[in-house]
Amino acid sequence: MPDPLENFLAMLASGRDNALLRFSLGNEYLKHGDAANAADHLRRAVEHDPKYSAAWKLLGKALTDAESWSEALAAYQQGIAVAEARGDKQAAKEMAVFARRIEKQLELKSDD
């Protein structure tokens, strides 16, 4: 069975580049435990489509996994704004929960 990551990379190499492909690449890199590469592709996804709330949410997760707390918080905050503007209440709620966790994490770090 072909590896989805290899298929997506081949599509990208062939000149296809769009938000969905970059989202898919980010998702596959996260599954492989490579948060840094995931974040790179997810940043490109939201550059292609700044209103792609699922990509903002996954970007926040990738940055959290990479322990890039302030960047993750910024991605979630942007994602919340996008989701709320689109009426995607569930995504906004989920990202708000993750954002609050990061805010607490940052508060704990500043107390050290």
Side-chain angles (χ1 to χ4, degrees):
M1 184 168 179
D3 179 23
L5 182 59
E6 289 176 19
N7 289 342
F8 294 139
L9 288 170
M11 291 165 77
L12 186 62
S14 74
R16 294 172 64 183
D17 191 3
N18 58 48
L20 181 58
L21 178 57
R22 292 296 185 147
F23 176 84
S24 300
L25 276 162
N27 194 34
E28 286 302 315
Y29 273 114
L30 271 178
K31 288 178 187 175
H32 284 80
D34 188 345
N37 266 323
D40 289 342
H41 287 288
L42 292 161
R43 281 189 193 99
R44 295 298 302 273
V46 298
E47 285 171 14
H48 281 291
D49 183 359
K51 295 182 177 165
Y52 195 169
S53 52
W56 283 109
K57 181 177 157 191
L58 205 58
L59 175 57
K61 180 182 181 350
L63 291 166
T64 299
D65 288 358
E67 297 184 3
S68 297
W69 307 115
S70 11
E71 283 182 83
L73 181 57
Y76 282 133
Q77 289 168 337
Q78 183 65 38
I80 291 165
V82 165
E84 286 175 344
R86 299 189 64 192
D88 191 353
K89 292 179 178 28
Q90 183 60 36
K93 276 186 199 172
E94 290 172 15
M95 287 186 273
V97 168
F98 299 138
R100 278 194 298 277
R101 287 182 190 156
I102 292 170
E103 286 168 347
K104 286 181 183 168
Q105 180 82 18
L106 290 172
E107 286 171 19
L108 290 174
K109 288 198 178 302
S110 66
D111 291 344
D112 286 348

